[in-house]
Amino acid sequence: VRRNAIVILLLLPVALVAAILLLWPKLKATFNAQAPTPVYLVAIDTLRTDALSVYGGKRPTPFFEEFAKQAIVFDNCIAPASWTVPSMASLFTGLYPFHHGSVMALQQRGQVKMQEKLSSGYLTIPEVFKERAPQGVQYHTYGVSGNGHLTEEYGFAQGFDEYVAHRFDNKNAVQSSWQGMLPRVAAQYRFGEGIFAFLFYFDPHHPYAPQEPWIKEYYPEYLQPSSQILSHDMLDLWEQGFFTENPEMVKVARAMYDSEVAALDDHLRGVFAELPGYDEAIIVIVSDHGEEFLEHGNMIHGNNLHQTQVNVPLMIKLPHNEHAGLRIKEKVMPIDVLPTLAELIDAGDVGQVDGRSLAPLWRAEKWENRDLFLHLSVPWARHRALIRDRYKVIGTAAHEPLVFDLEADPDEKHDLYAERRGEFQPWLLELKKATEMKVRYTPEIVEENMTDEERDHLRNLGYLN
Ligand SMILES: [Zn+2]
């Protein structure tokens, strides 16, 4: 009897600790009346809207469709630039490219040679969670990027507790880093703490790798002709005139691109199934830009501001799928994500941003249309665009301005500039003035492995001042 009593006495503290551990989330929730909403920001590089069946794409993307049924779908989301660096810096800061200034980078065969660093002075989305969450709410911030432009040295790790940026790698690399973080994310979530995680997938970006089984359906003879595409850099092929000489190859490229999207669709089902607190989470899916397949005389992206290169998906799942299935027609931008998330988590003041919270749109509150600005400033293309109501005006040094009626002509086939020049001339002046480079912090230029020749060339073009 005495021995049993001693055993019980010894076990008592162990049982007590176990009970507290088991009940901890509930105890904590009682103290912390407002348990923080988990937030997941999933960005997919180079995702044009019609790559998804949700947006009318012909090839099915069943996972995105399922997700869209739980989310609010924005039908007209326009990226402020048509390539990664300025667009992702805009997503992160809520600022237009001409207001954050990270508009230029050079990359060659998977190696970034120089990039205008995102200044630490700006408030980024992870910093909103880290620094502006309501008092008493603590968020843990995680990020994984498959795109080598989003590394710590280029300013993209600010605000993250844990951040991994791969040098241009696919979903498997992102997944392996994310899997490493997941046990901590899950434990913190169980203990009633806030989670913000950012996942950035590079997969649909060229070079395209044909993904089975989808490629066999999209282009049954793919093995033979695609070997030409597979063994070359897309940019080189385009510059050599390969696609203009072989229009059939454009279809092969599109099939390969779509197969990458389909494989990612399939992959994300598993990733999303494991997200801690999925039901009560806010989940945003967005892209940095689209992709062109010769619709406007170009391939890939980052060479003009046509809709094929800037129209991107945006879907927001609210806690418990509130407003699920709602489709929003108003024109919005990825720069709206920061103020939207800030409002949803009751963050404090996020200062002056160019974006605007999208919450009034699903609450059916008053919404005034605004001018949207687009900006592309790289040595091979300098374009600006203004979208006002149904019209889009594109100004460029390379040719006459372009004007499109996006409602009557969403594919931008009929330029109205020549016939309505007088009407749109003042818009072009406004566009020029509004998109002048005006930054709070001049970006630092981070160089890596640049030759003197390349440096001189950039300096002559007005970069590297
Ligand atoms: Zn990109």
Side-chain angles (χ1 to χ4, degrees):
V1 174
R2 193 174 289 168
R3 192 176 293 160
N4 280 352
I6 290 171
V7 169
I8 286 169
L9 268 176
L10 282 174
L11 282 176
L12 208 60
V14 177
L16 200 65
V17 168
I20 289 174
L21 277 178
L22 270 171
L23 291 171
W24 182 253
K26 280 208 173 126
L27 288 172
K28 181 142 182 175
T30 326
F31 292 124
N32 183 5
Q34 204 192 1
T37 307
V39 178
Y40 300 103
L41 173 59
V42 178
I44 296 155
D45 210 303
T46 322
L47 191 60
R48 60 183 266 169
T49 45
D50 72 1
L52 302 186
S53 43
V54 176
Y55 287 92
K58 289 189 207 88
R59 289 169 174 156
T61 41
F63 171 70
F64 285 111
E65 263 181 56
E66 279 166 38
F67 179 80
K69 286 185 190 139
Q70 305 159 33
I72 299 162
V73 176
F74 293 83
D75 282 314
N76 288 296
C77 183
I78 321 272
S82 58
W83 71 290
T84 307
V85 173
S87 195
M88 288 307 284
S90 284
L91 172 70
F92 267 45
T93 59
L95 297 170
Y96 280 122
F98 46 87
H99 286 159
H100 61 64
S102 293
V103 299
M104 182 47 190
L106 282 185
Q107 190 254 112
Q108 229 173 26
R109 305 191 196 294
Q111 230 198 9
V112 181
K113 299 201 133 200
M114 69 76 79
Q115 186 164 320
E116 290 178 324
K117 180 178 179 175
L118 181 65
S119 166
S120 61
Y122 298 115
L123 181 74
T124 62
I125 289 178
E127 286 173 327
V128 169
F129 287 89
K130 217 58 219 168
E131 298 166 11
R132 307 294 158 98
Q135 213 160 20
V137 174
Q138 198 200 352
Y139 269 93
H140 300 275
T141 51
Y142 295 87
V144 185
S145 166
N147 184 318
H149 284 297
L150 265 72
T151 63
E152 181 170 8
E153 61 181 324
Y154 305 130
F156 281 92
Q158 47 187 301
F160 286 107
D161 294 322
E162 286 188 43
Y163 189 74
V164 177
H166 295 271
R167 279 184 179 264
F168 306 104
D169 212 337
N170 67 14
K171 54 190 178 297
N172 299 328
V174 171
Q175 179 67 352
S176 95
S177 301
W178 175 235
Q179 285 289 324
M181 297 171 178
L182 208 46
R184 293 185 289 290
V185 174
Q188 284 154 350
Y189 171 71
R190 267 203 308 279
F191 278 76
E193 291 173 359
I195 298 297
F196 168 75
F198 163 68
L199 300 174
F200 187 27
Y201 292 93
F202 188 64
D203 298 61
H205 194 288
H206 75 93
Y208 315 130
Q211 300 289 319
E212 297 200 29
W214 300 278
I215 190 66
K216 285 189 170 152
E217 187 192 327
Y218 300 167
Y219 204 88
E221 315 84 43
Y222 86 96
L223 278 172
Q224 195 200 340
S226 64
S227 59
Q228 283 166 283
I229 297 180
L230 280 174
S231 55
H232 287 86
D233 186 87
M234 286 284 291
L235 204 57
D236 290 346
L237 284 175
W238 167 240
E239 281 166 0
Q240 290 158 13
F242 176 78
F243 291 104
T244 5
E245 282 162 27
N246 306 282
E248 184 65 13
M249 289 300 107
V250 179
K251 281 189 207 157
V252 182
R254 181 69 204 250
M256 289 165 75
Y257 167 81
D258 284 341
S259 81
E260 290 265 29
V261 175
L264 188 62
D265 175 272
D266 194 50
H267 175 82
L268 286 178
R269 185 189 306 278
V271 177
F272 277 46
E274 287 183 343
L275 293 178
Y278 184 92
D279 188 45
E280 66 222 53
I282 295 167
I283 305 178
V284 179
I285 294 183
V286 69
S287 180
D288 55 348
H289 51 80
E291 187 81 326
E292 182 169 342
F293 293 93
L294 222 51
E295 288 93 338
H296 300 282
N298 273 296
M299 289 293 281
I300 61 173
H301 56 266
N303 38 41
N304 64 46
L305 291 173
H306 283 290
Q307 294 295 87
T308 42
Q309 294 196 21
V310 295
N311 198 357
V312 291
L314 173 64
M315 299 186 243
I316 302 178
K317 181 195 108 56
L318 295 178
H320 311 292
N321 301 353
E322 217 188 318
H323 302 292
L326 187 66
R327 305 231 24 160
I328 295 200
K329 303 283 168 214
E330 276 82 359
K331 294 182 186 76
V332 303
M333 292 189 122
I335 54 171
D336 300 327
V337 171
L338 182 149
T340 303
L341 292 179
E343 182 179 341
L344 290 175
I345 66 152
D346 291 319
D349 181 23
V350 293
Q352 187 81 36
V353 291
D354 294 318
R356 192 201 261 186
S357 171
L358 301 174
L361 286 172
W362 64 72
R363 292 183 193 135
E365 291 167 7
K366 194 169 146 58
W367 178 269
E368 271 173 38
N369 282 339
R370 59 197 156 150
D371 290 345
L372 305 182
F373 295 100
L374 293 79
H375 183 267
L376 177 63
S377 174
V378 281
W380 54 93
R382 290 187 194 215
H383 300 233
R384 305 155 194 249
L386 159 64
I387 297 177
R388 177 177 289 170
D389 301 322
R390 60 192 296 166
Y391 294 104
K392 178 170 168 189
V393 176
I394 303 174
T396 160
H399 50 73
E400 283 277 277
L402 301 165
V403 179
F404 299 100
D405 177 342
L406 293 178
E407 273 175 37
D409 176 27
D411 296 331
E412 299 172 307
K413 295 236 194 287
H414 310 290
D415 171 27
L416 302 169
Y417 182 68
E419 50 193 273
R420 293 167 69 175
R421 179 186 294 254
E423 192 182 334
F424 289 106
Q425 200 63 44
W427 291 33
L428 284 157
L429 294 175
E430 282 182 66
L431 167 62
K432 191 161 187 285
K433 195 155 182 280
T435 54
E436 267 166 22
M437 194 65 81
K438 212 179 279 172
V439 298
R440 251 175 282 162
Y441 311 96
T442 307
E444 179 196 332
I445 288 154
V446 180
E447 277 185 39
E448 213 177 324
N449 311 314
M450 255 213 306
T451 63
D452 288 342
E453 201 184 330
E454 287 166 332
R455 200 172 291 119
D456 285 344
H457 181 60
L458 280 187
R459 198 168 283 125
N460 291 338
L461 289 164
Y463 299 96
L464 303 181
N465 288 322

